[in-house]
Structures are given as structure tokens and as C-alpha cells.
Amino acid sequence: MLGGPVYIAVIRLVLSLFGTILLFSLMDEPRFGRKKTCFIYGGMVALELPPVCLWYALEWRSFVRLAPLTLFLIFAVVSLFISGGHIYLTLYKLAFTFYLMGVFVIGGIEISECFFGGNVWADIMARLLLIAGMGYLIHRFLRSSIKEFGVYVESELDRFSIAVLIVSLCFGIVFVLRPMDEEEMRAKLWRILANFLLTGVLQLMVFRLYLHIGKESEYRTENQLMQMNHRLLERQMEFLEESVEAGRRIRHDARHHNMVIAEYARRGQNGELLEYLGEYEKRMDEGQASVICENIAVSNILAAYTRKAEREGLEVFLDIQAEKECTILDIDLVTILSNAYENAIYGCLEARKQDAGRECFIRLTVKKIKNKLVIYCSNTCKWETELRNGYPKPEFTGGVGVSSMVKAAKGYGGEPDFKNEDGVFIFRLILNIP
């Protein structure tokens, strides 16, 4: 079945390599442009053809037994160089492509054997139709889901698990494409079909599992964003209540001040009137809300959290340089700073519960250095504050805020850094200013 002239072997080889490259390319994002990627793959095929033809002419039986595995290994090495994704994710996509290659190679042979008496052209046409069908299904229905699945795999799946997944998939395909002669292949057709089915079902289950896990993680993040927005709204309500109360107090005091000024005027006590007005102006300056920085949104939210921290008896040190017109969106900057500040307050209060006599402090710094915005926050925390995957565990931050900070920071190329240095929790972040 797999014998025949050299040109038939070349057609099968080129078709199989084309199909493998096509299916892998539909699932992967190359690091190079389309032209350069096509040039590299084309060069690979051109370099493989002469030695493969020679191999086929000299020893076609060993070629039939070993060619699929050998050529795929060469393709895998080239694809690892071309791929722009994480190496573990690329290996998984290569393993899945290996599975699909097995489907159209074995499928073409068996269709030709079962329905066309082993006609080589039927085998070639069957492979072409299978490749076209799989390519269409991936492009039409699975491509976006596979990319989404890749993001979830990178964020949710640990390296050991994905290594086990890749190895199990490769073992299944190697069993199908392992060296065997035609008689052995016909005798084990049903076993091969069962292996294909079980391997495909396993991959489908894993695919759906990690899509579900990834979406659940997104839902948790959205829930945390909603909670964060709720807290920001609470702070805004505090501003509003304070403003209303201040307005009532001003109107009440204004009536008394007008009466006193009128009495001084009736008595002609100009000196006493000027002294009274000076004292009133001084008191007004003392009662004026402090402006933390030029950015009104950042100044207001930090002022609210500072009042909250001071009511709890915490020492606060602020060094904020946030411009009024900043190309970083106010909502993103407020999200990062408010969550960092609130987590710092929570950490101080938890540390005080552990040791009532411990002095607690919060130090928050925001500085612009060239085209970077540097954010630094340190606070007293529990001695045993731990990190998980580089982020603080929810029980040490109140369970809200870290994912919101990470999401906002990524929009500006920032990656938060957290650590505990002998009971002082440190948060650092550098954002690129657009």
C-alpha cells in the first residue's frame, strides 16, 4: 500500500508536511512575520526532500516504518524556534498536531484500503480532504477557543501537569504511528481506531476543563472588581456625607459670624473687627482639606484612606507625585493605589491583633521617573505573611484587590512585585507612561 514510485512518495511527503504545518500554524502565534515563517517552513521542506527521496529509493520499508516520526521530530524542532508562545504551551500544540497528523495519515491509508482497494491516489485525496476538513473546523470553530485555552493553560496549569498531558498524548500517537508492517497494521485497525477515539476524547475533556477553569478565574476577577468598585463608591459616599455636613456647618457658622461682624460695625470697633476677621481666616486655613497631589481623583481617594488609617492610630507617610494631566487613566491609577492602601491598612490591623503593642505604619510613594511611574508601598504586617505564585494569599489582604491591581497594571506593561521582609510587607510596581 505504501510502496510505489518515488514521485508518489514525494507527493505524500509534501502533502503530509503541508498539512502538519497548516494545522500547527492555525493554533500557534509565530514570533516572525508571515513571509519569514513561510520561508523557514519552505526551506525545511526543500532541505528534507533530497535525503528523504534517497532514503525511500534505497530502503523503502524502513522509510515506511520510521519516516512519520523522524520528519515530525524535525518539524517540531523548527516549530519550537518559530513559535512565539510559552515553550510548554508550544509543546502541547505540537503534541496535538502530532495527533492530527496521525489522523490524516492513518485515515487516508484506511479509507483507501477499505473503499478503493488500496489505490494510492485515493489515499492522497483522502489525506487532502481530511487536512482541509480539520483546517476548516479549527479555523471556523476552534481557533479563538484554542487561543483562549492557551491563555488559561499558561495561567492555570502547572508545569508538571502539562508535561504529563503532553507525554500521555505523545504515547498515544506513537502507539499508532510506531513502526509496523502492513499486515500488522490491518490486524490492529480496530485497536488503532479505539486509541484515536480515546485520545481525542481525553483532549476534548482537558480542553473543556481548562476553558471552564479559566472562565471561572475570570469570573472571580470580575467579582473582585465589583467589590473594589463597591468600596470606592463607599469612599465617595464618605466624601459626599462630609461635604454635606461641612456645608451645614458653614451655613450655621456664617450666621453667627455675620452677627458678630454687624455688631462690631455698629459699635465702630474697627480694630477689633479686623482682629476677628484675621482669626477667622486663620481658622478657615486650618480646617481646609489637605491636597495630597495635583491629581484630584488620586488626592481625594488617598485622603479618604489616610483619614481611615489615622482613625485606627496608624502612622502614615505619603510622598505622592501624581500630575493633574496624566496619560495613565485615573480609574486605573485609583484602582492600584486604593487597593494597595486598603491592603496596607488591613495588614496593619491584622498585625496589631497579633501583637497589640506593635507600632504600625504605612509608607506610600508615587514618583515619576522619565517615562515611568514608580509606585512603592510598605506597611507593617503579620510575621507569617506568605506569598503564593508571587502574590499574597487572600487571607493576608482581606481577599480583595490583588487581581484588580494586576489587571490594571498589565495595561501599562507593569508586573507587581510583593514580598515580606521581616514583618514589613512591600509592594512595588513600575508602569510605562503612554
Side-chain angles (χ1 to χ4, degrees), residues 38 271 392:
C38 292

Side-chain angles (χ1 to χ4, degrees), residues 23 34 49 53 144 154 202 281:
L23 297 177
R34 182 178 297 178
L49 282 178
C53 292
S144 58
E154 288 193 48
L202 173 63
E281 183 178 0

Side-chain angles (χ1 to χ4, degrees), residues 394-411:
E395 56 266 31
F396 298 115
T397 63
V400 177
V402 174
S403 60
S404 304
M405 296 162 65
V406 172
K407 188 172 182 179
K410 284 185 177 179

Side-chain angles (χ1 to χ4, degrees), residues 181-232:
D181 56 33
E182 294 182 50
E183 294 299 327
E184 187 183 4
M185 184 179 293
R186 292 193 191 96
K188 296 184 178 180
L189 174 60
W190 293 108
R191 190 182 300 178
I192 291 172
L193 292 176
N195 184 279
F196 270 137
L197 178 62
L198 292 176
T199 304
V201 170
L202 173 63
Q203 297 309 304
L204 180 62
M205 290 177 62
V206 172
F207 182 81
R208 293 183 61 84
L209 171 64
Y210 280 98
L211 278 179
H212 173 75
I213 292 175
K215 289 184 181 298
E216 184 180 0
S217 177
E218 283 192 348
Y219 293 151
R220 287 197 301 267
T221 301
E222 293 298 328
N223 182 50
Q224 290 188 358
L225 286 173
M226 291 176 63
Q227 294 184 46
M228 183 271 296
N229 288 332
H230 176 71
R231 294 191 180 192
L232 291 179

Side-chain angles (χ1 to χ4, degrees), residues 220-434:
R220 287 197 301 267
T221 301
E222 293 298 328
N223 182 50
Q224 290 188 358
L225 286 173
M226 291 176 63
Q227 294 184 46
M228 183 271 296
N229 288 332
H230 176 71
R231 294 191 180 192
L232 291 179
L233 286 174
E234 287 182 342
R235 300 295 169 263
Q236 294 298 330
M237 288 300 296
E238 290 179 7
F239 286 138
L240 182 59
E241 291 174 359
E242 290 175 0
S243 298
V244 171
E245 183 62 29
R248 291 174 180 171
R249 187 170 58 252
I250 290 173
R251 287 193 297 272
H252 179 268
D253 293 343
R255 287 194 294 270
H256 294 284
H257 293 312
N258 290 338
M259 292 173 61
V260 172
I261 292 171
E263 188 64 25
Y264 277 128
R266 278 194 296 269
R267 295 182 180 184
Q269 298 174 325
N270 295 331
E272 288 81 353
L273 175 59
L274 292 175
E275 182 179 354
Y276 176 79
L277 290 175
E279 292 178 356
Y280 178 71
E281 183 178 0
K282 182 179 179 181
R283 185 178 300 177
M284 290 294 293
D285 292 338
E286 292 175 353
Q288 186 176 3
S290 59
V291 178
I292 296 177
C293 63
E294 296 179 3
N295 189 296
I296 297 175
V298 172
S299 180
N300 287 340
I301 199 67
L302 293 183
Y305 279 108
T306 299
R307 287 194 295 272
K308 180 180 178 180
E310 290 175 345
R311 284 197 298 266
E312 298 290 347
L314 307 176
E315 285 190 274
V316 178
F317 305 94
L318 299 178
D319 183 9
I320 311 297
Q321 298 177 9
E323 299 176 349
K324 184 176 182 180
E325 299 294 335
C326 183
T327 51
I328 296 177
L329 296 178
D330 287 347
I331 184 63
D332 293 327
L333 200 53
V334 166
T335 296
I336 295 170
L337 293 176
S338 61
N339 280 297
Y341 210 154
E342 185 156 6
N343 291 342
I345 294 173
Y346 180 85
C348 288
L349 297 180
E350 290 297 302
R352 183 175 290 172
K353 289 180 183 178
Q354 189 180 57
D355 183 359
R358 190 175 177 187
E359 294 185 2
C360 298
F361 72 90
I362 298 173
R363 188 181 304 275
L364 180 61
T365 302
V366 179
K367 287 188 176 182
K368 180 183 178 182
I369 302 177
K370 295 183 179 180
N371 63 333
K372 307 286 185 181
L373 188 70
V374 180
I375 300 175
Y376 175 91
C377 181
S378 61
N379 61 273
T380 310
C381 67
K382 297 171 70 172
W383 300 103
E384 64 274 17
T385 300
E386 299 176 357
L387 304 179
R388 179 189 299 155
N389 297 326
Y391 300 133
K393 294 181 178 180
E395 56 266 31
F396 298 115
T397 63
V400 177
V402 174
S403 60
S404 304
M405 296 162 65
V406 172
K407 188 172 182 179
K410 284 185 177 179
Y412 302 92
E415 184 66 33
D417 176 53
F418 304 91
K419 64 178 178 178
N420 177 10
E421 290 188 350
D422 299 326
V424 176
F425 190 80
I426 296 176
F427 159 66
R428 293 177 295 189
L429 176 64
I430 298 178
L431 301 178
N432 297 317
I433 300 176

